[in-house]
Amino acid sequence: MPSPDRDLRAERRLTELETRLAFQEQAMQELSEALAEARIEGQKNRELLSRVLEDLKQLRRALMADPALEPPPPHY
C-alpha cells in the first residue's frame, strides 16, 4: 500500500507536469499564430516587391525608348 507521503509527491509531480503542459500548449498556440502572421506578411511583401519591380521595368522601358518613336511635341 502506497504511503501518504508518496501519494502527495506523485500528486505534486502530476500537478507540475500538467502546469508545464498547459504552458507548452499556450506557447505552441502563440508560435503558430505568429508563424501564420509572418506568412501573411511575407506574401504581402512578395506581392509588393513584384509590383515595384514591374513599375521599375516600365519606367526603364519608358526612359530607354527610342526618341524617334515618340510623337512630335504639340507646337509642331
Side-chain angles (χ1 to χ4, degrees), residues 22-39:
F23 280 117
Q24 290 294 322
E25 287 174 343
Q26 181 182 357
M28 293 278 291
Q29 182 63 34
E30 290 172 2
L31 288 171
S32 178
E33 290 169 5
L35 178 59
E37 290 173 11
R39 286 180 175 163

Side-chain angles (χ1 to χ4, degrees), residues 33-51:
E33 290 169 5
L35 178 59
E37 290 173 11
R39 286 180 175 163
I40 291 169
E41 187 69 25
Q43 182 61 33
K44 288 179 183 177
N45 287 337
R46 279 188 293 279
E47 291 170 3
L48 178 60
L49 179 60
S50 178
R51 287 194 305 264

